[in-house]
Every structure is written in C-alpha cells, then in structure tokens.
Amino acid sequence: MSVLEQTRFTRCPHCGSKRIAAQKNVMKCGACGYKLYFNCAAATSCLIVRDHHLLMIERKKDPGKGLLDLPGGFVDYDEGLEAGMMRELIEEISCEPSDLEYLTSAPNTYLYRDVLYHTVDCFFTACLPDHIEPSAGDDAANILWVPLDAIDFDNIAFDSVKTALRLYLSS
C-alpha cells in the first residue's frame, strides 16, 4: 500500500497539483517537484510486573477500543524515549514507576481517522512499589493486573505488544 492510499492525499501539499505519485514512504509532485517523506513515529509502552501479574490497560478509544494494551503512547517532538515513556505513564496510569529499563522495539501500524500511521514501538520494563496503586487516566478505560500465565494474546490490541510480551515471557 502506498503512502497515498494510506493517507488518502489527492493533492500536493505544496502547490495543490493532482500530479502526485508515491513510492513506499515518499510522495512526489510531478508539477513542482516537492517531496514529502513519511517516516515512522516513535511510540513507547511499558511492562510493569508485580507478584507475577502484568499491568495492562483496557483501551478507551480506537484503534483497539475495549482491547488490552500496555500503558504508553506517542513520543512528542521535543522528548527522548524515556521522557515520553514517563509522561505517558503519568497520563495513563496516574503514577510514575521506577527503574525504567529498555527491553526491545517492534514495528507497528496505527489506523487513526482513516490514516494508517507506521510506528516503531519501544518497550520498557519498570517497577511499581506495592504501596502505589495505579488508576486509569487519559486513554485507559480500566486498569487490570493480568496473571503472566493467563495473558490472552487474542485480546491484545497491537501485534507489537504481542511481540514484546512473547520476548519478555521467554526470557
């Protein structure tokens, strides 16, 4: 699928011409020569395990409304991965875990308002002390502590999360 099909662009964003063509992640205008590159967006997710249970959220919004996910989200333009991860954790689970460590990354797609975004999802692990209880905020409809041996992969919103969980569980 080309970027034109993914974004539904019909005109050059620079000159307005309909003479646009696409190859993989670049849109080219045949009238003015403008090139628009579509690179992947950075996103973060966090695996927080306590007493052999994984903290998961139920998604409040599409894509994947009602399915399970890890807390996280998109990294802002002026953030590094770690800062974006901590901001998203505060927004989604209303607390700031400690001992944040990088785990892995995986490609993903994110369909939002009929535009298919390509992302690279970066996964971290973190600790949450027993005396701190998370609460659902932002894009989380609910917080769940899922036993590690009872994770339902068919109920998880994104393939990248499944990939990261399988890696974590196999180590």
Side-chain angles (χ1 to χ4, degrees):
M1 182 180 298
S2 76
V3 293
L4 295 180
E5 294 166 313
Q6 294 172 33
T7 61
R8 296 186 175 194
F9 285 165
T10 58
R11 296 183 175 270
C12 171
H14 184 70
C15 74
S17 169
K18 288 188 175 185
R19 293 180 47 207
I20 56 174
Q23 292 178 335
K24 195 171 179 181
N25 71 327
V26 64
M27 183 181 74
K28 299 176 186 176
C29 178
C32 72
Y34 183 77
K35 292 180 182 178
L36 179 60
Y37 291 88
F38 294 87
N39 297 311
C40 59
T44 59
S45 290
C46 194
L47 288 84
I48 300 169
V49 176
R50 180 194 286 167
D51 298 323
H52 304 289
H53 287 72
L54 175 68
L55 187 150
M56 299 194 82
I57 64 164
E58 177 187 343
R59 291 187 57 83
K60 188 188 297 186
K61 302 174 185 174
D62 279 323
K65 181 179 179 180
L67 295 175
L68 297 181
D69 198 0
L70 296 171
F74 288 99
V75 177
D76 288 343
Y77 290 117
D78 59 350
E79 291 179 316
L81 293 173
E82 296 82 1
M85 181 77 271
M86 294 310 283
R87 177 186 49 76
E88 285 289 345
L89 289 170
I90 292 167
E91 290 175 6
E92 287 202 351
I93 63 170
S94 306
C95 59
E96 192 171 323
S98 62
D99 302 321
L100 191 68
E101 288 188 26
Y102 178 77
L103 176 65
T104 192
S105 65
N108 196 27
T109 55
Y110 190 89
L111 184 63
Y112 181 71
R113 294 191 178 187
D114 294 330
V115 175
L116 184 65
Y117 294 90
H118 291 266
T119 66
V120 60
D121 296 351
C122 303
F123 295 88
F124 292 85
T125 61
C127 298
L128 192 61
D130 290 341
H131 68 279
I132 296 177
E133 279 305 317
S135 61
D138 194 29
D139 293 333
N142 195 11
I143 299 276
L144 300 103
W145 287 101
V146 179
L148 289 173
D149 59 359
I151 294 172
D152 179 4
F153 283 83
D154 292 332
N155 198 31
I156 294 176
F158 302 107
D159 288 340
S160 62
V161 173
K162 295 174 189 179
T163 298
L165 284 173
R166 286 186 176 106
L167 174 71
Y168 179 82
L169 293 171
S170 70
S171 60

